[in-house]
Amino acid sequence: MEKRILGKDLEVSAIGLGCMGMSHAYGPAADRKEMSELLAEAVDKGYTFFDTAEVYGTPENPHDNEELLGEALKPYRNRIVLASKCGIRFDETSDAVNKPLVPDGRPETIKKSVEGSLERLQTDHLDLYYIHRIDRNVPIEETAGAMKELIQEGKITHWGISEADEETLRKAHAVCPVTAVQNRYSMMYRDYEALFPVLEEMQIGFVAFSPLANGFLSAKYNKDSKFEKGTDYRSAMPQFVPEAIDKNQEMLRYLEKMADEKDATPAQISLAWMLAKKPWIVPIPGTRKYGRLIENAQAADVKLTEQEVAELDRMLETVPMSAVFGGSKVEEKK
């Protein structure tokens, strides 16, 4: 797979692998052996960029995902880029499927968290470490200062911010250069395109999570699709309700038409559209399935012309489109 550069010098595969869904938010945690084999296949197929977080797990095993990656990717550690995140916990008092997030960007929290992540990931450093959400009660300069210290200590080599905005980014970058923002981005959620000029100016990469709108843009779902209530976030996402399936048909038909023309799939067109936008955008779709792993990787080989990207943009601005999941609620500290 071709490579891309995040920030000044962090080289990653053009498509990364978001690993959250193996342990969290898409039903019960997947079989550990199967996922270990899938991760090994990902390395074999050219993925070098693997994304996790300390909170991707289950109530029974809150750190399941980091533990899974630590074991499965240990043989390949010198060939891959490992990214993890700190700075949030779930509000366990909520009965929502996707529980609200409580941010904590204090330096002491970050320093404690990185030690746990290093141990679970069985490594002496992280290649990219994000603050998972911005804590409005802690000046971002303090968070950035803690990350700078971790870089000086060799515990991380690069840092980033998830769900970053321009003001926060500028303040943070002034203290310690930011390598990447990880924000939600897909054909159905384009809010952060407004941030692109700032990222270009500051030479910061954009890691796109939920690049297929939580799988919806694969065009594989219909009104009969079932999601486990209580553990699968999609059961509460607006793009998967029956009315949304109807409302989004014109968009999906357009994607399928272009996919046929390009000998690709709708998911590959969605990812290729994103890759064509900027050379420093790296999507990190997740999956538990080998076929989808390969399909996503091959999206890097689908090349769209400027005209085709412009056509897709026009379509997205004009066809009916349902609401789309915009993220779990972020609470003040309790």
Side-chain angles (χ1 to χ4, degrees):
M1 201 192 304
E2 66 183 44
K3 301 289 196 296
R4 294 197 157 197
I5 302 291
L6 295 173
K8 302 282 196 300
D9 61 2
L10 185 60
E11 185 180 80
V12 298
S13 49
I15 307 280
L17 184 60
C19 300
M20 178 188 78
M22 297 175 180
S23 306
H24 177 81
Y26 287 82
D31 180 79
R32 181 71 65 96
K33 183 173 180 290
E34 286 180 19
M35 292 304 98
S36 296
E37 291 169 356
L38 188 68
L39 287 161
E41 290 283 0
V43 176
D44 187 55
K45 294 297 181 282
Y47 286 89
T48 66
F49 188 30
F50 295 83
D51 183 89
T52 183
E54 66 176 348
V55 293
Y56 293 162
T58 62
E60 301 74 37
N61 186 5
H63 308 300
D64 183 81
N65 205 242
E66 285 190 333
E67 291 171 1
L68 164 66
L69 267 63
E71 196 63 43
L73 295 174
K74 191 175 182 181
Y76 316 106
R77 182 64 186 98
N78 63 350
R79 294 164 52 186
I80 62 169
V81 169
L82 265 182
S84 193
K85 311 178 199 74
C86 64
I88 60 167
R89 62 179 173 82
F90 295 109
D91 178 2
E92 296 295 346
T93 65
S94 169
D95 57 5
V97 179
N98 48 325
K99 297 187 188 308
L101 310 175
V102 184
D104 185 350
R106 292 174 298 167
E108 56 268 35
T109 301
I110 293 168
K111 290 173 182 179
K112 183 181 176 188
S113 290
V114 79
E115 299 299 340
S117 290
L118 291 173
E119 185 177 341
R120 289 186 291 270
L121 288 163
Q122 301 189 36
T123 185
D124 62 356
H125 75 282
L126 291 170
D127 303 292
L128 181 55
Y129 197 43
Y130 298 98
I131 189 75
H132 208 150
R133 288 293 184 275
I134 295 159
D135 183 349
R136 300 296 176 187
N137 294 315
V138 176
I140 194 64
E141 292 88 345
E142 290 183 19
T143 301
M147 294 293 191
K148 186 174 185 177
E149 286 179 30
L150 292 180
I151 291 172
Q152 290 166 346
E153 292 165 11
K155 291 176 180 174
I156 67 175
T157 59
H158 304 79
W159 86 286
I161 307 175
S162 190
E163 296 286 271
D165 57 69
E166 178 180 350
E167 182 186 2
T168 305
L169 208 47
R170 288 190 183 280
K171 288 178 181 176
H173 195 71
V175 175
C176 183
V178 176
T179 291
V181 300
Q182 184 180 131
N183 288 5
R184 182 179 301 275
Y185 183 45
S186 73
M187 283 184 162
M188 296 181 76
Y189 192 96
R190 299 175 64 188
D191 302 31
Y192 287 111
E193 286 184 352
L195 199 59
F196 287 0
V198 179
L199 299 177
E200 197 117 54
E201 172 202 331
M202 300 167 77
Q203 204 175 337
I204 296 172
F206 188 103
V207 176
F209 75 87
S210 297
L212 298 174
N214 304 97
F216 186 86
L217 291 168
S218 66
K220 297 291 185 187
Y221 296 93
N222 58 41
K223 292 179 186 177
D224 297 322
S225 298
K226 298 278 190 289
F227 307 108
E228 183 153 327
K229 285 189 167 36
T231 57
D232 193 326
Y233 283 18
R234 289 170 297 184
S235 65
M237 288 183 181
Q239 67 264 42
F240 291 103
V241 301
E243 310 84 76
I245 301 281
D246 287 336
K247 191 168 188 178
N248 292 318
Q249 282 310 302
E250 188 177 346
M251 173 183 65
L252 293 179
R253 280 196 298 272
Y254 197 100
L255 280 183
E256 286 167 338
K257 177 174 175 287
M258 185 171 279
D260 287 343
E261 291 168 1
K262 302 291 283 189
D263 194 22
T265 66
Q268 288 173 337
I269 295 298
S270 298
L271 294 171
W273 166 83
M274 192 174 289
L275 291 171
K277 286 273 176 181
K278 298 289 179 184
W280 36 261
I281 293 177
V282 177
I284 52 167
T287 189
R288 297 180 174 193
K289 297 175 181 173
Y290 177 76
R292 189 73 71 211
L293 184 84
I294 303 307
E295 179 185 352
N296 291 341
Q298 291 173 345
D301 300 324
V302 178
K303 304 299 180 190
L304 300 180
T305 65
E306 282 185 26
Q307 184 181 349
E308 286 167 337
V309 173
E311 273 177 41
L312 286 166
D313 284 345
R314 274 195 298 276
M315 179 272 291
L316 294 172
E317 283 155 16
T318 54
V319 303
M321 195 181 295
S322 75
V324 66
F325 182 63
S328 301
K329 181 184 173 190
V330 178
E331 293 183 346
E332 296 297 314
K333 282 196 191 73
K334 289 192 171 182

